[in-house]
Amino acid sequence: QPVVPLEGGATPASPVSGNTYIYYNSTTTIVEAVKNDGSISALSNIPEGRPELNDGTLASYMLPGITVLNGTADTFSLTVNQLNYLPILVASPLVLDALVINVTTLTAGACRVGIYNADTDWQPTTLVVGSAAIDTGSAGVKTTAITNTLNAGRYLLCSNSSATGAVLRMYTGYASFFGVTSALGGNAQFQMFRAAQTYAAFPATGDKWTSVVQGATGALYHIFLRVLTP
C-alpha cells in the first residue's frame, strides 16, 4: 500500500483503507505516522525530555523507554568474556554525551560498555558507540564522554569484562515490549540477553545473543545514559 506524505498535518478528505499517512511539520520532521483503516488515529512523536534543575544541572541519568521497577540500589556482577545486552526504545531523537556506570566492588581489570542498533528480533546490528576500557580496579562512578545521536528506534546497551568479580550498581526495569519469557514458568520476567564474547573492543556488527536470562525481577540495568538534548 502507498505511503502518502501530508505536509502541515492536513487530513485527507477521503482516507484510503490500508494507506499509511505520514505527517510532516515545516522542517520535514515526521511528527505522525498512521496506518489508516478507514479512519485516522494519531501517533504523536513527543520528546521524552529529561529532568534538569533550574541551574542547568542534570537531575538524572536516562533509560529511554524503560520503567525503573525497583529504586532500591542493587548490584550486578561482571563475568569475564560474558556479553550482556539490555534493550531500550527511543521514541524521539536524543543527543547523548556520556555512558555511565558505577563500580561498587572493585576487581583488577576492565570492562567496556556500548550501544548497538537492534532489529525487530532485538538482535544487534551495527555498533553506535563503544567505550574504551573502563578501569574496574577502583570504585566509583565512571563516565565515558561520547557525542552520539539516537534517532527513534530500537537499541541494545551492552557490556563485557576482562575479569570476573567487579560489581556495578544496578536497577531493575521493565517495558511493555519485553513480554514474558516463553517458558511461562514461575520466574518468567525478562532480565537480559546474553552471549559469549572474548573481551575486546566491540565489533562493528554485533555478535548475536544466544540465551535469555530470566528471573523473578525485571531487567538488570547497569549501564546508564546522560542525555544532552532531548
Side-chain angles (χ1 to χ4, degrees):
Q1 295 293 331
V3 173
V4 183
L6 300 168
E7 289 193 21
T11 301
S14 301
V16 177
S17 180
N19 282 2
T20 297
Y21 295 95
I22 300 180
Y23 299 86
Y24 291 84
N25 62 19
S26 59
T27 60
T28 70
T29 300
I30 296 176
V31 294
E32 295 178 346
V34 180
K35 186 164 185 179
N36 182 59
D37 59 1
S39 62
I40 289 181
S41 59
L43 178 63
S44 296
N45 184 5
I46 301 173
E48 287 188 349
R50 76 275 192 265
E52 183 179 285
L53 299 175
N54 60 2
D55 64 358
T57 303
L58 286 178
S60 66
Y61 296 124
M62 304 302 291
L63 293 169
I66 304 302
T67 299
V68 174
L69 294 178
N70 184 0
T72 302
D74 209 335
T75 55
F76 177 80
S77 297
L78 293 171
T79 298
V80 62
N81 299 333
Q82 180 176 277
L83 177 61
N84 307 297
Y85 286 121
L86 288 156
I88 58 173
L89 187 66
V90 175
S92 60
L94 300 172
V95 179
L96 307 180
D97 70 354
L99 302 171
V100 184
I101 63 171
N102 184 3
V103 179
T104 60
T105 301
L106 59 87
T107 292
C111 72
R112 293 176 184 265
V113 297
I115 306 172
Y116 278 97
N117 290 293
D119 63 20
T120 53
D121 294 325
W122 286 103
Q123 288 286 359
T125 56
T126 55
L127 182 67
V128 176
V129 62
S131 74
I134 302 170
D135 178 29
T136 56
S138 61
V141 174
K142 312 284 180 139
T143 301
T144 298
I146 61 173
T147 303
N148 290 89
T149 298
L150 299 186
N151 292 315
R154 294 172 301 275
Y155 298 90
L156 291 164
L157 306 178
C158 57
S159 66
N160 199 347
S161 179
S162 69
T164 296
V167 177
L168 305 184
R169 178 69 65 221
M170 181 271 291
Y171 300 94
T172 55
Y174 210 74
S176 60
F177 54 85
F178 288 176
V180 292
T181 56
S182 57
L184 294 178
N187 295 312
Q189 290 202 54
F190 163 88
Q191 293 188 313
M192 68 175 56
F193 305 125
R194 185 168 282 169
Q197 182 188 75
T198 301
Y199 174 79
F202 293 118
T205 300
D207 290 351
K208 292 185 180 296
W209 50 266
T210 55
S211 64
V212 176
V213 180
Q214 63 185 46
T217 63
L220 310 179
Y221 284 91
H222 52 279
I223 307 155
F224 307 95
L225 307 179
R226 192 169 70 192
V227 177
L228 177 64
T229 306

